[in-house]
Amino acid sequence: MASHFINLFFTSLLVLLFHISPSTSLTCSSQTFSANTRFTNCTDLPSLKSFLHWTFDPAKSTLSVAFLASPASPDGWVAWGINPVAPTMVGTQSFIAFKDSKGVMTVKTYNLTSYKSIAESKLMYNVLDSKAESADGVMKIFATLQLPANTKTVNQVWQVGSAVTDGMPRIHKFEPDNLKSKGILDLATSGAGGGDGDKKTNATSSSASSGQSGNETGGSSRILNTETTLFAFLLFFGVGLLQL
Ligand SMILES: *[C@@H]1O[C@H](CO)[C@@H](O)[C@H](O)[C@H]1NC(C)=O
Ligand SMILES: *[C@@H]1O[C@H](CO)[C@@H](O)[C@H](O)[C@H]1NC(C)=O
Ligand SMILES: *[C@@H]1O[C@H](CO)[C@@H](O)[C@H](O)[C@H]1NC(C)=O
Ligand SMILES: *[C@@H]1O[C@H](CO)[C@@H](O)[C@H](O)[C@H]1NC(C)=O
């Protein structure tokens, strides 16, 4: 009897832990961030198991992103950027995240000028903030960029690599998945009241409404998670009682 209850307790505990652990999901819509980080939109990128969460404020032309991907090896790197000319690597204004020599996640900016070598540099866009994180084999780049006024779409390019030596990300593979990792991100129908550039936008109210919708998204997925956990708990508890 007692051991039955102990078994039941640990089984339930396992189920709870399993459902609460915030691991990376297979689609961006079920990925969540810490309390004050919310994005209005997300895109499952078509290659390299990568994801982009983003909020575009058309009134200010600011784009906030979280890029998630797994480096090709634990000591590798992940990269995301915007190419002002075409969706190709050369010319991309990019962020590359990796572990520095002390093992601390860092993100640096690179104006990619060649396929062979890269050098850290400022970007043509003003970077309002950036940071990198790593957990459970997934690296995350968070950044806010100031884009030119009336931007509707951007060419985005992303990549993963397996090594960093002397603080320098090494060249990535040229497998099909590595060559497909580029595309166009359509910002025009982003939250915050759409992107009709000709309409006069009230910046104050539009940014407030984008924050609001972000909160609702986070809230409802949290409720869903709690319900799933509760259901699993009741199921196991019920099965346990039947066995007694
Ligand atoms: C990036 O590199 C290209 C080619 O060298 C150069 O023309 C451009 O001015 C650079 N941009 C920045 C922001 O440094
Ligand atoms: C971004 O999210 C908003 C609000 O959920 C939605 O109306 C809009 O269509 C989305 N934009 C894109 C490009 O997915
Ligand atoms: C913008 O919206 C806020 C809140 O609704 C309002 O107080 C403010 O007067 C508006 N500003 C303009 C320029 O319309
Ligand atoms: C979003 O939620 C946080 C706490 O969950 C709250 O402090 C904040 O005021 C909310 N923001 C909006 C715009 O509702």
Side-chain angles (χ1 to χ4, degrees):
M1 220 24 190
S3 76
H4 226 98
F5 259 111
I6 290 168
N7 269 341
L8 182 63
F9 176 75
F10 280 108
T11 313
S12 306
L13 198 67
L14 273 179
V15 170
L16 274 171
L17 288 176
F18 179 75
H19 279 275
I20 287 171
S21 96
S23 63
T24 304
S25 307
L26 291 172
T27 60
C28 70
S29 54
S30 46
Q31 292 164 354
T32 54
F33 296 94
S34 54
N36 292 320
T37 311
R38 301 269 181 254
F39 298 94
T40 57
N41 298 70
C42 76
T43 308
D44 299 323
L45 298 173
S47 73
L48 299 172
K49 296 193 188 70
S50 306
F51 309 91
L52 190 75
H53 296 257
W54 48 282
T55 299
F56 181 60
D57 182 338
K60 297 181 191 147
S61 270
T62 52
L63 175 65
S64 296
V65 301
F67 171 76
L68 278 64
S70 299
S73 85
D75 293 322
W77 51 267
V78 307
W80 179 88
I82 291 178
N83 189 319
V85 178
T88 58
M89 176 183 151
V90 169
T92 297
Q93 307 294 298
S94 70
F95 295 86
I96 307 185
F98 51 89
K99 286 181 185 145
D100 68 13
S101 57
K102 295 184 183 120
V104 178
M105 279 304 291
T106 181
V107 58
K108 294 184 173 169
T109 56
Y110 301 80
N111 170 22
L112 301 178
T113 54
S114 135
Y115 283 101
K116 292 193 181 134
S117 66
I118 63 170
E120 195 180 342
S121 93
K122 286 199 151 223
L123 303 185
M124 63 176 281
Y125 307 114
N126 199 5
V127 178
L128 305 178
D129 60 63
S130 66
K131 66 171 180 177
E133 289 177 2
S134 171
D136 301 327
V138 174
M139 289 183 176
K140 302 176 188 176
I141 296 173
F142 294 90
T144 304
L145 292 164
Q146 179 69 58
L147 299 180
N150 297 318
T151 301
K152 301 273 194 291
T153 64
V154 291
N155 302 307
Q156 62 171 337
V157 178
W158 63 99
Q159 197 52 260
V160 304
S162 60
V164 176
T165 44
D166 301 329
M168 191 76 86
R170 309 310 298 185
I171 197 162
H172 57 82
K173 287 189 196 159
F174 283 79
E175 303 290 330
D177 226 25
N178 298 91
L179 301 176
K180 276 191 305 202
S181 54
K182 52 203 178 185
I184 291 171
L185 179 65
D186 185 359
L187 304 169
T189 52
S190 172
D196 192 343
D198 299 333
K199 257 188 206 159
K200 216 169 180 139
T201 322
N202 183 330
T204 317
S205 74
S206 85
S207 70
S209 81
S210 94
Q212 182 69 51
S213 78
N215 262 10
E216 280 165 12
T217 314
S220 64
S221 79
R222 220 176 298 129
I223 288 168
L224 195 72
N225 235 328
T226 313
E227 278 176 355
T228 318
T229 309
L230 198 66
F231 178 72
F233 185 84
L234 287 176
L235 191 70
F236 268 86
F237 198 66
V239 170
L241 281 181
L242 282 178
Q243 285 172 355
L244 288 179

